Amino acid sequence: MTAVIGAGVIGCAVAHALAREGHHVLLIDRAEPGCGGASYGHVGHIAAELVQPLPSRQLLFGFWRELFMLDGPLHIPLRRLGAFAPWVLQFARAAFRREINTQHLAPLVKPAAAAFEQLFREIGQPDLIRRNGHYQVWFGPTAQRRAAQEAADMQRLGVPTEPMSPASLHTISRAANEAVVAGLLFPDSGHILDPLWIVQALVQSAAQCGTELMKTEVRALRPAGELIQITTDSDQWTVSAAVVCAGAWSAPLLAPFGLSAPLEAAYGYHVELEEHAPHVDGPLVYMNQEVLVTPMAGRLRASTHMEFSGLDSRPDARKPAQLRRKLRGLGFSCDAEGPSWRGPRPVLPDYLPGIGRAPGPHRLFYAIGHQHIGLTMAPVTAGLIADLAAGRTPRHDISAFDLRRFGRAS
């Protein structure tokens, strides 16, 4: 039996891929599939353009412009500065390796939308995805220059762009009451109608191939010779193989196998606008405001923020309030108060995922740390884990994603 720990979009995609290849899969999570972590609140954008990891020299020396106190999306509470410092140092080192890290990440990201299309055809639900691209817009006197620079950067990275239509720009400009606007269409990306539907479709398809679902919290994994011992709140047993896909909660599960996973939870927030017509027919990124708005089934979902407040922290009411204020300024009908969601994106300091197999005789695999693009990389990641579990050479080079790049767990 192969236990998959974590039923977010990564874990469910992995369970589905393994089950289709004949593995007897047990999918374990403390919550219903797709409901316990970052997957539930994903903004639905299949970000085939995000081929560059976030750490960069530009961000390293200009991060202060992004701070929440300056109306930006980044918040690092003062109480966390000491504990957060080692992670920041590794982030800073990665900023000087962005070019080589892009070469590692891009092959997993560029085929994302096509991989989703193939996956949805396989499970008989092709209507779950929209392949009409996404948009980025800028306002103000520098808008044209910034759009042109983005188009040039994307061309260098092999990501196609097109100018936005005058009609779409006019709609956005009029809604936001901005006289100067420039924008790009990214035709190779896409979006989904509801992240929870994706997870449910994957679980249903995996169940048809024999996957079992267990709702419990895994407290520990430990090597037991060539087997792996699983400890939950109420039981303990061994399996022949396991895959850790537990998002921001993965590090303690991997430590007994000598793997260090310096994960941080980069909390994001979203709000939803029920029955609100979109300004364009795909995800729309407002680059000045750093807000993403995606049309979903019967609603719009808007998201922002990178809050490094720790896994034990509570939601900050100021964050959704700020998001709602920005949405009103962009011409959306949005009440000042209302429900919101907050969830932890699992982030490693170099913004590369952790994908691989633990050293030793046991069959312990992991797929963690997909930062802001876990949905985007889910099908490709699942294929890589299926390759490893089958003893095949992975379809992409994953040596850069081995967690041993962070040393051994203490």
Side-chain angles (χ1 to χ4, degrees):
M1 174 180 286
T2 299
V4 176
I5 317 300
V9 68
I10 295 291
C12 291
V14 166
H16 172 264
L18 293 175
R20 284 182 63 87
E21 294 200 2
H23 295 266
H24 180 195
V25 178
L26 176 64
L27 180 61
I28 310 174
D29 200 300
R30 67 182 184 280
E32 293 295 326
C35 295
S39 296
Y40 179 85
H42 197 283
V43 78
H45 171 41
I46 300 173
E49 80 286 356
L50 294 183
V51 298
Q52 294 179 293
L54 183 65
S56 69
R57 295 177 180 88
Q58 181 181 4
L59 179 60
L60 189 61
F61 296 111
F63 76 95
W64 58 271
R65 300 183 184 92
E66 310 294 325
L67 291 174
F68 178 69
M69 66 179 66
L70 300 177
D71 208 33
L74 175 62
H75 184 207
I76 306 169
L78 291 176
R79 63 175 174 79
R80 291 218 66 226
L81 289 182
F84 196 53
W87 192 93
V88 171
L89 289 175
Q90 294 186 75
F91 180 99
R93 285 196 291 269
F96 294 90
R97 291 180 49 82
R98 194 184 202 196
E99 291 76 16
I100 187 65
N101 285 346
T102 296
Q103 294 177 29
H104 299 313
L105 184 64
L108 275 64
V109 176
K110 284 185 178 180
F116 260 112
E117 276 192 318
Q118 179 180 343
L119 174 60
F120 292 151
R121 285 195 298 268
E122 289 175 358
I123 64 178
Q125 300 200 47
D127 294 338
L128 291 176
I129 186 173
R130 299 288 183 270
R131 284 297 306 276
N132 48 353
H134 84 279
Y135 304 87
Q136 293 183 4
V137 295
W138 294 259
F139 296 127
T142 64
Q144 295 291 344
R145 176 179 60 80
R146 293 176 71 183
Q149 183 62 56
E150 180 78 353
D153 290 344
M154 290 297 104
Q155 183 178 27
R156 175 177 56 83
L157 294 167
V159 177
T161 64
E162 301 171 8
M164 281 183 66
S165 71
S168 294
L169 288 174
H170 176 72
T171 298
I172 294 166
S173 173
R174 183 176 58 184
N177 195 27
E178 291 277 357
V180 181
V181 59
L184 296 174
L185 165 66
F186 291 70
D188 277 0
S189 61
H191 70 283
I192 60 174
L193 297 181
D194 193 306
L196 188 56
W197 291 358
I198 304 307
V199 170
Q200 291 170 341
L202 289 169
V203 170
Q204 181 181 14
S205 181
Q208 292 172 353
C209 297
T211 293
E212 300 176 53
L213 182 64
M214 176 180 288
K215 187 176 177 181
T216 188
E217 181 154 6
V218 174
R219 294 296 183 181
L221 298 179
R222 298 196 180 279
E226 295 186 1
L227 301 179
I228 297 166
Q229 182 185 81
I230 299 177
T231 301
T232 69
D233 286 328
S234 60
D235 205 356
Q236 190 175 88
W237 73 97
T238 58
V239 294
S240 59
V243 189
V244 175
C245 306
W249 296 272
S250 297
L253 302 179
L254 294 168
F257 297 85
L259 292 171
S260 174
L263 286 160
E264 276 288 340
Y267 278 98
Y269 289 73
H270 85 221
V271 301
E272 294 190 330
L273 310 179
E274 297 292 338
E275 304 299 333
H276 196 304
H279 292 165
V280 292
D281 61 351
L284 175 57
V285 186
Y286 291 91
M287 300 297 286
N288 301 73
Q289 293 78 12
E290 298 185 87
V291 170
L292 171 57
V293 181
T294 299
M296 290 191 175
R299 66 202 189 280
L300 303 181
R301 179 175 288 181
S303 180
T304 188
H305 291 299
M306 291 174 58
E307 178 189 87
F308 291 93
S309 55
L311 270 176
D312 59 347
S313 62
R314 298 179 64 83
D316 182 346
R318 297 174 299 169
K319 307 293 171 51
Q322 181 199 63
L323 176 53
R324 289 176 174 277
R325 173 177 53 79
K326 289 184 176 184
L327 289 170
R328 291 195 300 276
L330 294 168
F332 294 93
S333 299
C334 182
D335 295 334
E337 297 182 355
S340 64
W341 172 91
R342 173 185 184 254
R345 310 179 191 101
V347 182
L348 291 162
D350 55 9
Y351 269 71
L352 297 178
I355 303 173
R357 177 176 177 172
H362 28 263
R363 292 170 49 80
L364 189 286
F365 308 95
Y366 52 88
I368 64 169
H370 288 74
Q371 34 117 347
H372 304 259
I373 50 178
L375 173 69
T376 298
M377 290 195 284
V380 176
T381 297
L384 292 169
I385 294 297
D387 290 340
L388 290 173
R392 299 188 295 262
T393 299
R395 60 200 71 186
H396 299 291
D397 180 10
I398 61 171
S399 57
F401 310 134
D402 193 313
L403 285 176
R404 284 174 286 184
R405 69 189 189 267
F406 298 114
R408 285 186 56 84
S410 57

